[in-house]
Amino acid sequence: MLKTILTVDDNEKVHDVLEPMLEIWLEDNDLEMTIVKLCNGAEALAWVKENGKPDLVLLDVRMPVMDGAEFLRQVAMLGYDFRPFTLLLTGYADDLEQHLGTDALLMKHLRKPFMTPEFFAALDNLNAARKP
Amino acid sequence: MAVSHSNIKTTLSGMLNQLSPMQLFGGLAIIGIITFSFYNMSRDLAVGLEGDLRTAFDQQNLTVVDIASSRVGFHIDNDVAENVRLLGQFPGMQRQEMRNASRDMEKVNTIAAPRVDGFVLFDANGDLFTVYPESMRFPYKGNQSESPFFKTSKETGALYFSDWIHDGDSLKMRVANAIYKKIILDEDKQSPDGKLSGVIMAQIDFDRTIASELGRLKSSGIMHWIIDEKSGEVLYHSVLPRNAPDNVVESIKSKLAKDLLKAFPSTVLEPGIHRAKLGGTGFSIASARSKVGPHKITVNLAYDDSAVAGLVYEKTNRIYMLGIAFLVVVLIGAVVTLRQMAKRQSLIGEKDHLARELALEEEKKKLSEQVSQLQKMESLGELAAGTAHELNNALTAPMGMLSILKTKPDLDSDKRAHFLNQAISGMEQARAIVEGLLRFSRSELNEKQLDDVNEDIRFVLNMYKKELEHADITLVQDLQEELPSVLAAHRQIQQVVLNLVTNAKYILDKGGILEVSSKSERRNGVDGIIIKVKDNGPGMNEEIQQRIFEPFYSTKAVGEGTGLGLSICYGIVQDHGGLMNVVSAPGQGATFSIWIPSGDKA
């Protein structure tokens, strides 16, 4: 079964960074996954509705049309809980609380800009939590 | 007129308002005291003056009668002397020596001069007036002549020198029988020494002399009269004719004269002032004593007291008038002083008021500066959030790429170059953002610089783009290229644009459209640029439009806005000599326009 990573961010530059980083990480971990680049929550929701549950989600919090929080809410309404395998990406200090409430801090998140080690660590963490 | 009148009224009431009740009472009391004491003073003065005047008047009249009386004596003496001189000059008389001791009148005449032993004087009526010395009363004792020597004067019986007639070498004079008889009176009385060396018989006009002498008395009195002290007989009266018949119809004046004579127990009055009251009117009589030949006489002058009273009244009135003038002057002085005081008071009040106003203005200015600063900080905060996000985004690529290169140092050169290029482009983006920030901070000084406002608009929109995107608001930019430069504090222009944009974001729902445009526009012959910020929000009614630029006017919920943003924007635009307005209607969105004159003004 083909594993899928959803990267949802409105910023092209972020995608430009995420892609090579993810490729390196997948290579390092001997994983094979398809990277799906999406621009906002709405696109992501549409993808989920069509393809079902992805294996990993890199989700920007603030996005036009539909932000990350709304996306998670919509997904939950579809009966999914993406939180265990979702890494929130945020450029704003107060994004998480503002959009997801205080329990968002319990979710895995990464503040932009980030560097490979922390990104990899976060991905490792997420991957490890997902396996059992 | 009415206006000035009311002005006077208001200044007067204003004047009175400036005074405390104590001051007012005090002022009135002082005026009252001054008036009362002045009244007392002038009354005392009037009384004193009346006394003084009366005394002076009395003194004057006494002096007048004194002089008059002595002059009466002198004049009569003088008349006598004149007669003596005339008689002495008469040539016939000198030659007429007494040849015998007969008692003919001729002989009487011949002894007239130059050895004069005495006089026999007659008055105008031929009555014996006086003889001098007393013994001359009897010089003609023993006259045996049958025929009268003197013929009676035809009209009055007055004697004139023409009546003397030459008779041979004798000089004769005719006298009235009564006179003759008088001279020949008391035949048995001898002269003291029995000798008679010479006699002058002369006539003086007593009344005429006295009248001419006392005529001046008339000016100060109402009447005057002369009394023979010995007999108490009225010798002369300026009003009553001598020997006036009883049946003469009496005039008011003659009645008064008679009443005055009867007012005292004796017709002979002591020298000095005497007072009498007749029918409610006061009269004063000045009396002086004198001598006419051997006779003692009293000259009296009567005058009306009312003359003095009138004079006193007149003088007192003058004093009262002076007093009133003085009071008026005092009152005017008081009013002027009061007005001056009131003016000073009001000036002080004005000064205080101005000082307070100034302090308030200063406070207001300070406050508005503080608010402006706060607003600046607020917009800075907004910008800072946007900028931070942008900067983070820009740094995402370099940090990510460089960290990849660090993790994988052995990547092939194509990939390395690609990553490095991406890193560099990200850092360039960061640099651009920092430049924008620098520009923002440079213009912080509010110095006006000639620059393109499009830069300001772009800067703000770039910083705020994400916010709008996230709020799902479509931003439409329509900036005219080659816009004329504007001399402006560009930081402030940015603040204005940012304020309008954030307001629009606040009012717009998801799916809203925000249009920001700029173009050059000429207004009233002045070149300038116009910036429009248009939203398709709910719009606003006329009332809100009218009040929207007022300070502290806000339609936002309490705690969400200060209500100062737009008023500060308005102030900034005005400061740049520009215009700011809003066009809106409920349900039709709102368009805020800012027109600012361009820098290259004529």
Side-chain angles (χ1 to χ4, degrees):
Chain A
M1 189 183 163
L2 202 66
K3 305 217 171 180
T4 316
I5 301 180
L6 291 186
T7 58
V8 189
D9 200 308
D10 58 321
N11 193 325
E12 191 58 36
K13 292 231 159 60
V14 176
H15 282 293
D16 288 350
V17 175
L18 283 177
E19 199 179 358
M21 279 188 178
L22 275 173
E23 279 169 1
I24 292 165
W25 180 73
L26 290 171
E27 200 183 310
D28 284 356
N29 289 279
D30 283 328
L31 292 170
E32 263 194 44
M33 286 190 179
T34 310
I35 300 169
V36 179
K37 291 195 274 186
L38 297 165
C39 278
N40 56 49
E43 282 185 17
L45 187 65
W47 188 93
V48 169
K49 278 180 180 166
E50 198 177 317
N51 304 294
K53 208 171 91 171
D55 299 286
L56 270 179
V57 181
L58 303 182
L59 183 63
D60 188 14
V61 178
R62 285 181 74 156
M63 285 177 293
V65 188
M66 184 188 290
D67 61 28
E70 185 61 29
F71 168 69
L72 287 179
R73 228 165 290 148
Q74 294 290 335
V75 164
M77 282 166 74
L78 291 175
Y80 300 113
D81 184 5
F82 281 14
R83 282 180 297 179
F85 51 87
T86 299
L87 177 64
L88 294 171
L89 301 173
T90 169
Y92 291 84
D94 54 355
D95 264 359
L96 295 174
E97 290 110 298
Q98 198 178 331
H99 290 264
L100 294 162
T102 42
D103 58 341
L105 293 170
L106 300 174
M107 286 181 68
K108 292 176 188 65
H109 59 271
L110 195 61
R111 289 193 195 277
K112 291 186 273 193
F114 47 83
M115 292 193 285
T116 36
E118 37 188 337
F119 181 58
F120 290 173
L123 287 177
D124 287 345
N125 219 331
L126 210 61
N127 200 27
R130 201 180 61 93
K131 266 175 188 165
Chain B
M1 276 316 266
V3 173
S4 69
H5 178 72
S6 71
N7 272 351
I8 287 164
K9 237 177 158 178
T10 48
T11 51
L12 198 72
S13 66
M15 230 163 70
L16 293 178
N17 283 343
Q18 299 291 340
L19 294 173
S20 69
M22 263 315 272
Q23 280 174 315
L24 204 64
F25 180 76
L28 285 177
I30 285 170
I31 288 173
I33 288 168
I34 287 176
T35 312
F36 181 71
S37 59
F38 184 79
Y39 167 74
N40 260 354
M41 209 171 71
S42 51
R43 197 191 50 193
D44 288 353
L45 202 64
V47 170
L49 183 77
E50 186 168 2
D52 288 353
L53 264 177
R54 203 168 283 285
T55 309
F57 210 71
D58 288 348
Q59 204 58 48
Q60 182 203 342
N61 285 315
L62 268 180
T63 311
V64 165
V65 287
D66 208 34
I67 291 170
S69 64
S70 64
R71 283 183 75 89
V72 165
F74 170 79
H75 263 272
I76 290 174
D77 285 350
N78 223 27
D79 262 13
V80 172
E82 176 71 6
N83 281 328
V84 168
R85 192 177 62 80
L86 283 169
L87 287 171
Q89 281 173 348
F90 212 83
M93 286 172 78
Q94 285 180 3
R95 268 181 275 132
Q96 304 295 318
E97 289 295 325
M98 210 189 270
R99 266 178 276 171
N100 50 36
S102 78
R103 288 162 188 162
D104 288 351
M105 273 311 287
E106 303 102 292
K107 288 178 184 154
V108 171
N109 288 319
T110 56
I111 59 166
R115 290 177 294 122
V116 174
D117 292 323
F119 312 105
V120 179
L121 302 177
F122 304 91
D123 65 15
N125 291 336
D127 289 342
L128 178 73
F129 175 61
T130 187
V131 290
Y132 183 81
E134 190 67 18
S135 56
M136 285 301 291
R137 199 179 272 272
F138 322 104
Y140 306 119
K141 200 175 170 185
N143 183 14
Q144 305 299 322
S145 174
E146 286 295 314
S147 58
F149 295 111
F150 297 166
K151 72 169 184 191
T152 309
S153 172
K154 278 168 198 154
E155 322 92 336
T156 63
L159 288 173
Y160 300 101
F161 286 116
S162 58
D163 288 335
W164 295 82
I165 41 175
H166 292 276
D167 185 19
D169 40 341
S170 285
L171 195 67
K172 288 183 183 172
M173 191 184 197
R174 295 182 197 279
V175 306
N177 199 32
I179 299 168
Y180 177 75
K181 274 194 174 149
K182 252 192 177 146
I183 295 169
I184 310 302
L185 211 65
D186 301 329
E187 286 177 24
D188 24 291
K189 281 191 182 164
Q190 283 287 340
S191 82
D193 54 358
K195 289 179 189 166
L196 195 64
S197 50
V199 149
I200 288 176
M201 291 180 69
Q203 179 241 2
I204 55 161
D205 188 342
F206 185 81
D207 275 5
R208 207 179 59 202
T209 312
I210 296 226
S212 74
E213 191 49 49
L214 298 190
R216 73 187 66 182
L217 296 186
K218 242 180 188 152
S219 61
S220 57
I222 46 176
M223 63 183 73
H224 47 271
W225 63 95
I226 295 171
I227 301 288
D228 180 18
E229 277 193 26
K230 198 169 183 183
S231 61
E233 197 186 328
V234 179
L235 291 178
Y236 169 81
H237 200 292
S238 66
V239 173
L240 296 174
R242 262 182 128 198
N243 305 327
D246 290 339
N247 58 358
V248 167
V249 178
E250 284 188 3
S251 66
I252 295 168
K253 221 174 167 190
S254 63
K255 186 171 187 307
L256 177 65
K258 280 179 182 171
D259 286 348
L260 267 176
L261 284 177
K262 282 184 213 151
F264 300 96
S266 162
T267 52
V268 183
L269 297 173
E270 284 295 306
I273 297 293
H274 306 270
R275 311 256 189 230
K277 210 161 177 94
L278 294 177
T281 314
F283 295 93
S284 294
I285 296 136
S287 302
R289 192 176 271 165
S290 186
K291 230 170 71 178
V292 177
H295 293 265
K296 284 183 176 159
I297 57 164
T298 309
V299 177
N300 305 285
L301 172 67
Y303 50 91
D304 194 343
D305 278 355
S306 65
V308 176
L311 207 63
V312 167
Y313 179 75
E314 191 190 315
K315 299 286 178 198
T316 315
N317 255 10
R318 218 172 272 179
I319 290 171
Y320 281 136
M321 290 307 282
L322 264 172
I324 287 167
F326 174 73
L327 261 186
V328 164
V329 166
V330 164
L331 273 176
I332 287 172
V335 166
V336 165
T337 310
L338 276 178
R339 281 192 69 165
Q340 216 61 21
M341 272 168 68
K343 209 170 160 189
R344 200 165 141 261
Q345 204 71 21
S346 74
L347 270 178
I348 288 170
E350 190 113 325
K351 198 181 130 218
D352 285 352
H353 181 71
L354 272 176
R356 269 203 302 280
E357 202 96 312
L358 262 172
L360 220 66
E361 198 66 27
E362 199 76 6
E363 193 73 12
K364 218 167 113 187
K365 213 169 144 190
K366 238 186 241 170
L367 214 67
S368 112
E369 268 169 20
Q370 279 174 6
V371 166
S372 175
Q373 193 64 28
L374 218 66
Q375 197 72 17
K376 224 182 274 175
M377 298 308 277
E378 203 179 292
S379 56
L380 258 178
E382 297 262 8
L383 278 179
T387 310
H389 185 81
E390 285 299 300
L391 213 52
N392 274 348
N393 272 342
L395 287 175
T396 303
M399 276 182 82
M401 297 305 175
L402 291 175
S403 65
I404 290 169
L405 289 178
K406 194 190 170 193
T407 320
K408 293 281 172 188
D410 49 350
L411 281 170
D412 64 79
S413 60
D414 274 6
K415 270 198 169 164
R416 280 172 71 104
H418 175 67
F419 287 168
L420 280 173
N421 277 341
Q422 288 219 318
I424 286 167
S425 90
M427 277 155 87
E428 274 173 349
Q429 203 185 336
R431 186 179 67 180
I433 292 164
V434 170
E435 266 174 12
L437 274 178
L438 277 178
R439 183 186 149 88
F440 190 89
S441 68
R442 250 204 320 278
S443 50
E444 185 73 9
L445 296 168
N446 284 351
E447 273 177 9
K448 290 187 179 175
Q449 290 173 322
L450 209 56
D451 210 342
D452 185 358
V453 289
N454 278 345
E455 290 299 315
D456 300 318
I457 299 169
R458 281 193 197 105
F459 172 74
V460 170
L461 294 180
N462 281 340
M463 292 302 128
Y464 211 67
K465 200 163 53 191
K466 278 284 162 192
E467 291 288 328
L468 293 170
E469 271 178 25
H470 292 154
D472 209 4
I473 292 166
T474 309
L475 174 65
V476 180
Q477 287 189 50
D478 179 18
L479 306 182
Q480 179 190 316
E481 294 305 320
E482 305 286 318
L483 211 57
S485 292
V486 166
L487 185 69
H490 290 274
R491 161 76 184 82
Q492 290 190 328
I493 302 299
Q494 289 159 15
Q495 191 180 337
V496 172
V497 175
L498 183 66
N499 204 301
L500 292 178
V501 171
T502 50
N503 276 358
K505 186 208 156 201
Y506 179 89
I507 207 80
L508 283 174
D509 292 324
K510 281 193 172 183
I513 299 166
L514 173 66
E515 287 179 52
V516 181
S517 65
S518 71
K519 63 175 180 175
S520 59
E521 188 172 301
R522 201 177 159 82
R523 275 196 188 179
N524 301 327
V526 180
D527 286 324
I529 55 99
I530 190 160
I531 302 168
K532 282 188 181 174
V533 177
K534 181 181 176 189
D535 66 67
N536 64 344
M540 58 192 111
N541 62 28
E542 198 67 33
E543 193 212 330
I544 296 175
Q545 283 179 53
Q546 277 178 4
R547 299 193 56 193
I548 197 157
F549 296 115
E550 282 178 24
F552 303 110
Y553 181 79
S554 179
T555 55
K556 293 180 183 175
V558 175
E560 283 195 42
T562 55
L564 285 168
L566 281 175
S567 76
I568 288 171
C569 290
Y570 194 82
I572 289 171
V573 173
Q574 275 203 327
D575 204 39
H576 284 80
L579 301 161
M580 182 171 187
N581 67 336
V582 61
V583 177
S584 179
Q588 311 217 342
T591 305
F592 285 88
S593 302
I594 303 154
W595 179 85
I596 298 171
S598 60
D600 40 293
K601 42 191 159 189

